[in-house]
Amino acid sequence: FGSSESGQKAQEWFNERIAATLTTDDIGKHLVIDTETGEFELDANKYQASRRAYLKRPEAQTRFGVKVGYRAASTTVGWWRDGEAKEHGL
């Protein structure tokens, strides 16, 4: 999760609330955590997980994404604009 403040908060949410809900079937899925509330989305498609997290709380300042079972996944930074979901096949 890294040493940034958002990474540390995401790690706390993961340890306290999320880890116990995951199964071996979730390995390889993308997990997006709202670091302010601890709400999260999980999906095999990182864009789907990110989009659902955004739709839950568009005003969120920080979301943290990881790939379950991996030390590194990828970074997705930005926001959704009207029509952008179509560009990603969503």
Side-chain angles (χ1 to χ4, degrees), residues 1 10-23 26 31 33 40 68:
F1 287 85
Q11 180 74 61
E12 289 174 24
W13 285 119
F14 182 83
N15 292 339
E16 294 172 9
R17 182 175 173 194
I18 301 168
T21 69
L22 300 176
T23 68
D26 296 321
L31 175 68
I33 304 168
F40 66 95
V68 177

Side-chain angles (χ1 to χ4, degrees), residues 53-70:
Y54 169 80
L55 291 173
K56 269 187 180 176
R57 214 169 74 86
E59 71 279 7
Q61 296 297 309
T62 308
R63 293 179 193 88
F64 198 90
V66 295
K67 192 170 182 180
V68 177
Y70 291 78

Side-chain angles (χ1 to χ4, degrees), residues 47 50-51 54-55 58 63 77-88 90:
Y47 296 109
S50 295
R51 177 74 173 153
Y54 169 80
L55 291 173
R63 293 179 193 88
V77 178
W79 56 91
W80 292 93
R81 297 180 302 258
D82 289 340
E84 188 173 352
K86 287 183 181 179
E87 294 173 22
H88 297 289
L90 306 178

Side-chain angles (χ1 to χ4, degrees), residues 25-32 41-50 52 66-68 90:
D25 291 337
D26 296 321
I27 293 173
K29 292 183 180 178
H30 295 272
L31 175 68
V32 179
E41 288 294 331
L42 182 68
D43 200 290
N45 182 307
K46 71 179 177 181
Y47 296 109
Q48 291 282 5
S50 295
R52 284 198 314 270
V66 295
K67 192 170 182 180
V68 177
L90 306 178

Side-chain angles (χ1 to χ4, degrees), residues 4-14 16 33 35-36:
S4 69
E5 185 177 334
S6 62
Q8 290 175 0
K9 189 61 181 171
Q11 180 74 61
E12 289 174 24
W13 285 119
F14 182 83
E16 294 172 9
I33 304 168
T35 59
E36 297 168 18

